[in-house]
Amino acid sequence: MSIKYTQEHEWVRIDDLQAAVVGITVHAQDALGDVVFVDLPEVGKSYGQGEVAGVVESVKAAADIYMPLTGEVVEVNESLRNDPSLANSDPLDTGWFFKIRVADASQLDALLDAAAYDAFTQNA
């Protein structure tokens, strides 16, 4: 299992070569504050890397959720839809947003590992 990060503050966890789980980072949820609503993508819809796939709204702001890798949405987190605060209380586990079938695994090479993401957020 490998986790990579985007400069737009999404994380993607590769569970196997065909599936990836996507969510927002701890840094993102800290910046947003209390999450009150999520607009999750439609299952079966395909997105290119970097395309807007959803929206997260908090008491402070709204932010787009970008697709970290090209792929098709195969599942959304209904628990998050029903309880958006999971994005705050457990952003790296139960607060995941959606799962995708990865179309091009080579795109992982352009994403940040944990050390690079930490350095990026320190300089942001």
Side-chain angles (χ1 to χ4, degrees), residues 6 10 15 17 30 37 44-45 62 109 118:
T6 70
E10 289 85 23
D15 287 337
L17 293 177
D30 281 345
F37 175 77
K45 186 162 182 184
D109 297 337
D118 287 343

Side-chain angles (χ1 to χ4, degrees), residues 61-74:
D64 290 331
I65 302 300
Y66 297 94
M67 185 65 84
L69 302 167
T70 298
E72 176 187 349
V73 176
V74 296

Side-chain angles (χ1 to χ4, degrees), residues 48-116:
Q49 184 178 35
E51 287 187 319
V52 174
V55 175
V56 58
E57 294 181 13
S58 73
V59 294
K60 290 199 247 181
D64 290 331
I65 302 300
Y66 297 94
M67 185 65 84
L69 302 167
T70 298
E72 176 187 349
V73 176
V74 296
E75 185 179 348
V76 297
N77 186 351
E78 293 297 339
S79 296
L80 181 66
R81 191 187 313 264
N82 296 329
D83 183 5
S85 70
L86 291 172
N88 295 114
S89 62
D90 196 8
L92 300 177
D93 192 20
T94 59
W96 62 275
F97 280 60
F98 53 89
K99 294 182 181 180
I100 60 173
R101 181 177 300 114
V102 178
D104 184 358
S106 70
Q107 292 175 336
L108 281 166
D109 297 337
L111 300 181
L112 305 172
D113 63 17

